Amino acid sequence: MTRRLIALFRAARVALHIGYGLTLAIAYPWFGLAIRRRILQNWSAGLLDIFNVRIEIAEGDPLHALRHGLIVTNHISWLDVFVLNAVVPMRFVAKSEVRRWPVIGWLCARAQTLFIERGKARSAARINVQLVDLLQRGECLAIFPEGTTTDGLKVEHFHSSLLQPAIDAGALVHPIAIRYQDRSGTHCLASAYIDEISFGTSMWNILSTAELHVQLVATPPLDASGTDRRNLTGAVRQHISATLAAMHAAPASASQLEVAHEHAGNEQHFQSLYCVLLHPSLAQEVVSHPLK
C-alpha cells in the first residue's frame, strides 16, 4: 500500500512537471541554442528526480567532454532520452509513431526531435540530409540504431542507414552503453519498454520502483571521416556490445560519480526558466549563471 501511495504521489508530480513542460514548449523553438539546451537539460533532470533515477558516470569518462557529434547507444526505454538529455542536451531521431503519443509526442516535436518513417527510403533520405546539416553546424544528435527497445542484456542488430550522415559530415561518432540497475548494481528490468507493454504500464513500473540507477559508459569517439557505413556501424556496435558486457560482468563501483540533479520543484529553477520564457532579454543572464 505504501509503495502504491508513493507511486500515485509521483504520478501527480509527473503530471505537474509535464504541464510545466507544455508551458515552456510553447516558446521553446524560438530560443537560441544555448537556452534550448539549458531548458531541455533542466527539465529532463527534473523528471528523473521525480522518478528517483540516479545517473552514474565514471570519472574520466569521455561523456564528460562530449559537446557535439553523433551519439549512438543501445536502446532500453523511452526513459533513455531523458537520461541522455540530463547529461548532454541533444536532438534525437525517433520513429514516427512517437509523434502520435499523447502529450509526450507533442513535447518531443517541440523539442525538435527528428521523426523518421520506418521502411520508407524517402523519409530516411530526407532525415539524412537534415542530420548532415546539423552535424556540420556543431549540434549534438542521437540515434538508436537497434530500431527497437530491448531488455538491456545484449545489443541487437544495428541498422546502418542513420550512421551515413556522420560519414558525409566528417563528424565524430560517440558510442555509449546504457545499463539500468538497482542500488546494489544488479541489472533491473523496471524501465525496459518491451514485450508489447503499454506506455502507461511502463511508466507505472518506473513510478513504483523505489530507486533506479542508470549507468552510462562512453568509449572514445570514432572519426567517421574516410570510412564506409558498414565498417563504421560494425565498429560502433562492437564498442557498445563489449562495453555493455563488461558492465554486466562488473557492476558499478563506488568510484563512479553520481550525477545528482536538483529537485524539479526547486524554486530558483522555476523562477529562472519562467523569466527566460516571459522575458527573452534575460536569456544571457541565465546562460551566464546556469542553474545547478
Side-chain angles (χ1 to χ4, degrees):
M1 178 60 73
T2 300
R3 178 173 294 185
R4 181 178 177 82
L5 289 175
I6 292 175
L8 289 171
F9 176 67
R10 286 180 177 175
R13 291 181 61 198
V14 168
L16 290 173
H17 195 64
I18 289 176
Y20 169 48
L22 291 172
T23 303
L24 289 174
I26 294 172
Y28 182 88
W30 289 282
F31 292 136
L33 180 60
I35 297 303
R36 293 201 307 270
R37 285 178 170 174
R38 177 58 59 183
I39 291 173
L40 187 59
Q41 185 173 32
N42 279 283
W43 192 88
S44 298
L47 183 67
L48 297 183
D49 183 68
I50 294 171
F51 287 133
N52 203 18
V53 173
R54 297 289 176 259
I55 302 174
E56 296 176 351
I57 306 172
E59 290 188 65
D61 190 285
L63 189 53
H64 291 295
L66 197 159
R67 294 294 180 271
H68 57 83
L70 183 66
I71 291 174
V72 183
T73 79
N74 58 309
H75 196 18
I76 300 169
S77 171
W78 53 269
L79 201 60
D80 299 345
V81 171
F82 304 108
V83 168
L84 291 168
N85 271 327
V87 179
V88 181
M90 61 192 73
R91 292 177 66 174
F92 286 81
V93 177
K95 57 186 180 181
S96 58
E97 291 93 321
V98 174
R99 179 64 182 86
R100 296 190 288 271
W101 288 1
V103 183
I104 295 295
W106 187 79
L107 281 175
C108 288
R110 297 299 286 182
Q112 301 181 317
T113 297
L114 301 167
F115 297 103
I116 184 170
E117 296 182 60
R118 293 184 293 183
K120 294 190 176 182
R122 182 175 296 180
S123 177
R126 174 179 55 81
I127 290 295
N128 282 359
V129 170
Q130 289 182 268
L131 293 178
V132 171
D133 178 60
L134 292 169
L135 288 170
Q136 290 177 334
R137 285 194 278 163
E139 291 230 20
C140 191
L141 308 174
I143 61 172
F144 301 112
E146 289 170 297
T148 187
T149 50
T150 73
D151 59 11
L153 290 173
K154 64 179 182 178
V155 179
E156 298 294 338
H157 169 74
F158 274 13
H159 299 280
S160 63
S161 60
L162 287 178
L163 274 80
Q164 184 63 44
I167 298 173
D168 296 340
L172 292 178
V173 176
H174 305 274
I176 298 177
I178 301 177
R179 179 179 189 263
Y180 289 89
Q181 57 196 34
D182 60 23
R183 181 181 294 182
S184 68
T186 301
H187 178 248
C188 181
L189 289 173
S191 64
Y193 191 32
I194 55 175
D195 298 333
E196 305 301 324
I197 189 174
S198 69
F199 181 79
T201 300
S202 175
M203 178 172 284
W204 182 256
N205 288 342
I206 296 171
L207 289 168
S208 302
T209 302
E211 184 175 316
L212 188 60
H213 291 242
V214 55
Q215 187 182 6
L216 299 178
V217 177
T219 65
L222 304 175
D223 187 348
S225 302
T227 186
D228 61 79
R229 190 168 75 188
R230 181 176 180 181
N231 286 328
L232 177 61
T233 302
V236 173
R237 185 182 181 280
Q238 177 59 33
H239 278 67
I240 295 175
S241 183
T243 301
L244 187 63
M247 292 160 73
H248 285 303
S253 66
S255 64
Q256 290 181 305
L257 296 180
E258 183 174 291
V259 180
H261 302 299
E262 288 292 333
H263 191 284
N266 182 282
E267 184 176 353
Q268 180 184 2
H269 170 82
F270 276 93
Q271 289 179 348
S272 297
L273 286 183
Y274 272 121
C275 281
V276 173
L277 179 65
L278 299 175
H279 304 285
S281 61
L282 298 179
Q284 184 58 47
E285 182 177 347
V286 175
V287 173
S288 302
H289 302 85
L291 301 172
K292 300 297 183 181

